[in-house]
Amino acid sequence: MDDLFTSPTGKWTPVSPALATARKLIGLVVSAVIALLGAAVTAVLASITQGWWWVGVVIIALAVGFATWMWWWAPRNQRSWGYAETDQDLLVRGGLMFRRFVAIPYGRMQFVDVESGPIARKFGFASVSLNTASTSTAATIPGVPLDEAARLRDKLTELGESHGAGL
Amino acid sequence: MAQDFEPPEVASSPANPAATNPIAPEQPAPTELEGQRTHPLTGLIQGLIWGAIAASALGTQQLSGDNNFLFSLAIVVTGFFAGVFLGLTSWLFTRYSINDEEVRIDRGLVFRSSRRIPYERLQSVDINEPLIARLVGLSELTIEMAGGSQSQNVIRFLTLDDARRLRRLLLSKAHGTALDEQVEGSRMPESKELITVVPPDRILYGALLSLDFAFAVLSAVVAVVAGLYFVSSRFFSDGGGPWGVFLAVVPFAWGIIQMINSRILAQWNFSLSRHRNGLRIERGLLSRSSQTIPYDRVQGIAVIEPVIWRRLGWSKLDVDVAGYGESATTEGGVSSNTLLPISDRMLAEYVLNLLIPDADRARYEELRPPRRSRVFAPIGWKYRSIRTTDTTISSKTGWIRTSTDVIPLHKVQSVQMTQGPLQRRLGLASAQVHTPDGPVNTQILHLDQFEARRLVFDQVERAKRARLAAAGRAFGPDVDHPGHFAGIEPVVGQSDPLG
């Protein structure tokens, strides 16, 4: 990413490339299903009416377009995510089109959630969410490798308690 | 209805309340309570309310049905008594306890619930007198916790004296200060200093001169005119014509009534006093409400100046207290975010300085969006700015409704910078400073991107320093020397600062 989102500590810890792989896979599956649906629609419409069969083709085209876009977007989005730990705050940056950078003081963290669905677990990553007293903080880091996620959670909880700044 | 303020007691200082207390208490008041029930009338009142609701609901349902009249009557009466019974039993099985660590409210017979409120999470205690309870001299106590929508805990109903006593007890426990034995148990009012009472005419003018009120009235008039037009031109012979007009007007009329209620009735005789633990707000005509805003829980203040009010120098102050959430509860209920419904500039500055003191308010750094941000807001961009000092950050935005949002830096939660695709093209970015949910929203949109980055990192650093500084000193302003605003004397007694 460009200069604007450079880390003050010099480097960003990246998230797992498996995030991109998982997203590409999901994209493929979803678009395959939609393409099949489109094919079915084409067949049905072609047998019933004369001129409307192209609707099914449009659906297939949309599915292919979706898969292509996901193939392009997933790795770039994955590379855009990063976090850095300074002595007082956790810095998180992410996003491809709508980029975001958040700095969260350790003492302000209320709780840290580590979540992973079945696909995420298979690929070995989880998403770490940090909550403060403000719901607009919304800092969720997707695609963190599982052991790193556990380490982050423990470290952040411990730092949160020791820096606890009250409300 | 007479104003039932606690009379302001300026002369007594917390250090020596015995000097002004002629009544010696018979025994030391209890500081621990176990398994207390609320006032017995509670059951009756709650029962009546629920009975009335049940009866009216069943009644309207039966009206549309075809049943035998006696049968319908029986159903309605049964519903009424069922409501009364439920109300009585709910009172019977609700108990509250106060001990050294927490307040506990236990409810229910079949489905039991026990809500515990540890004192560290207790934000404030407010007293509300809904109209029905007020008629019999009862009130309800609302305990605010930090965080979430489930944080309102109500103890209903207590006599007003009991409620005040309980509030003193809870606040003293929450703030860890020993309860003054001489003050407790007597009918002596707590020491506090009246800052201002908003006069009724100011409230009325303020409500009438506000844009949304004018808009609501205009919509109602348009609806009536349109309805009449349709009635006269199309449904002339149709007996249902007038109903159409009526139905069209009803939603607008309801909106106006709601607005009148929350703007005028709920803010009647709005009085602001400085109290040991925080600012005390007492307001309301039909239902009175007494709310305490603790000094150290103030997360931010928004000063709102709608366009018409700006000409007259009036503004409204909203306060962001952790746990109160985004908007006031309906019917102008207790935990409102309104700090001052309408005030002039001097008073607004005074209150702002009292709650968010800033020694170097005059020495600020200001950032404004560049000209190229006019793509996003053709008119508004000129009116946006953000000002930072060592202890606060404030942002100003809006040309019809100017809003200045001030946050003390030691209350900042997180800091954020965002950039969308169009912003990236133009070299802009937005910066936001997060606080717990509330009416205060400090942000600057579409700033030059490198300025935004510098601002964000700057704020992270300053917030850190402010947090460390705050941890090393007692919270809240020194009550005897509020703020550092030169030239403003604290207002004492009944004199009217609004002149």
Side-chain angles (χ1 to χ4, degrees), chain B residues 297-343:
Chain B
R297 309 280 196 202
V298 170
Q299 308 285 334
I301 291 184
V303 180
I304 299 170
E305 301 164 284
V307 60
I308 303 181
W309 288 17
R310 265 209 299 277
R311 306 256 174 274
L312 302 159
W314 291 347
S315 53
K316 172 179 197 266
L317 292 185
D318 276 345
V319 66
D320 187 348
V321 181
Y324 278 13
E326 187 60 52
S327 61
T329 54
T330 52
E331 311 138 38
V334 191
S335 315
S336 166
N337 288 106
T338 306
L339 183 60
L340 264 184
I342 178 168
S343 79

Side-chain angles (χ1 to χ4, degrees), chain B residues 310-385:
Chain B
R310 265 209 299 277
R311 306 256 174 274
L312 302 159
W314 291 347
S315 53
K316 172 179 197 266
L317 292 185
D318 276 345
V319 66
D320 187 348
V321 181
Y324 278 13
E326 187 60 52
S327 61
T329 54
T330 52
E331 311 138 38
V334 191
S335 315
S336 166
N337 288 106
T338 306
L339 183 60
L340 264 184
I342 178 168
S343 79
D344 58 20
R345 216 151 263 152
M346 246 174 52
L347 182 63
E349 299 261 14
Y350 174 73
V351 175
L352 188 61
N353 277 296
L354 187 62
L355 289 178
I356 304 184
D358 187 0
D360 46 13
R361 199 181 290 280
R363 292 194 302 274
Y364 54 80
E365 267 180 46
E366 184 176 86
L367 288 176
R368 309 191 82 106
R371 204 180 154 72
R372 54 188 193 274
S373 72
R374 74 181 185 278
V375 169
F376 294 98
I379 305 179
W381 71 275
K382 282 198 292 277
Y383 296 87
R384 293 177 181 166
S385 68

